[in-house]
Amino acid sequence: MDRHMDRRRFVIGTAAAALAAGPAFAQEAFPTHAITIINAFPPGGINDLVTRPLAAAMEPILKQPVVVEAKAGAAGQVGAQFVASAKPDGYTLLSHNTGISGYAEVDKLFGRPAKTTRADFIPLARLVADPVLLLVNDQQPYKTLKEFIDGAKARPDTLVFSSGGLYGATHLPLAYLEKATGPLKLRHLPTNGGGPAIVAILGNNAQVTTQSVSATLQHVKAGKLRPLAIFSATRSKQLPDVPTLKELGYDVEYYLWVGIFAPKATPPAIVTTLRAAIGQAVQSDQFKTTLVNIGQELEYLDGPDFQKFWDIDGTRTDEAVISIGKQG
């Protein structure tokens, strides 16, 4: 009888051990090789500046290489589509920004089927939410937002506005601004990312742009670019002299945020592993130091909180796209 009990206990014990090992083993199985984060923008922009140090900080946590690969084009849509159709196994992730929100609305505007929607992605983490500046170059006479608005309206279709792509994250702030000021009649020069848009204004191929604090801080400090206003709710610690649009009487708020996404249908256990790894990586000294060096502050939101934020921010983005469409 005792032997029988022992045997039963042994069988139950083994089954329990096997069950316990099951999920643990499944989790251990990811990742077994390198993870690729697709950056939907060219080198030199905010996504590049933030995603590379994140990848480096994730490697020791996941004990696998984390590679960043740029797939730029169509204001970030090329990279977004690539990841949306990638195998949802956790090995292909996406680094994107505010611009990802409006793609379905842009497609609708042009009467074409939506190539990607917000539902195609699982938000893993928001890393930063960088306030955007309205900037002119040092060859422009404007010293205040009022002077700029008056000047633009007095000389319609002469000033060129550079953005990182049509309906992208650095084109949308202009729509927000024009909703408040009325049409500014700027000529639009879309490029293929924040980096190229900044090169255009530095070379005076454009005279005005809306770019993040971190991507332009060095040029502002060097006196090459002049910030006239900031789109955040409060003034920037880096540029305390630059007034907010709200202070100037315009109810406008806009952030260029960077987030990491997985394709929809990625298994929950893998999503959990990735969220935990990113959450740990962003708190590492290595990552925090890099952020400080590029003039950024960590504005981390874990997946579910990021989803809540994105739902609201995405609706705002849709409204901006629709308002640009009406002007066009």
Side-chain angles (χ1 to χ4, degrees), residues 16-28:
L19 273 175
F25 178 76
Q27 277 165 3
E28 279 162 21

Side-chain angles (χ1 to χ4, degrees), residues 16 33-34 64 96 107 121 131 158 204 232 234 262 284 286 295 297 303 310 320 324:
H33 57 270
Q64 291 294 345
H96 217 292
D107 283 333
F121 304 99
T158 53
N204 204 33
S232 49
T234 54
S284 70
Q286 168 192 5
E297 284 174 54
W310 197 28
I324 300 174

Side-chain angles (χ1 to χ4, degrees), residues 109-169:
L109 199 62
F110 288 103
R112 54 192 185 210
K115 295 181 201 74
T116 58
T117 71
R118 295 196 281 275
D120 289 327
F121 304 99
I122 299 168
L124 299 175
R126 187 187 78 178
L127 306 174
V128 296
D130 205 4
V132 167
L133 296 164
L134 176 72
L135 300 139
V136 291
N137 64 26
D138 58 359
Q139 295 174 50
Q140 306 315 306
Y142 316 111
K143 299 284 192 291
T144 66
L145 179 69
K146 186 183 184 319
E147 284 177 13
F148 166 73
I149 291 169
D150 292 348
K153 288 185 173 178
R155 298 164 51 213
D157 303 318
T158 53
L159 292 175
V160 176
F161 172 87
S162 67
S163 82
L166 199 54
Y167 301 103

Side-chain angles (χ1 to χ4, degrees), residues 272-292:
T272 303
T273 302
L274 289 166
R275 273 174 47 199
I278 296 168
Q280 209 178 321
V282 296
Q283 299 302 340
S284 70
D285 291 342
Q286 168 192 5
F287 185 70
K288 282 183 165 168
T289 306
T290 309
L291 282 195
V292 171

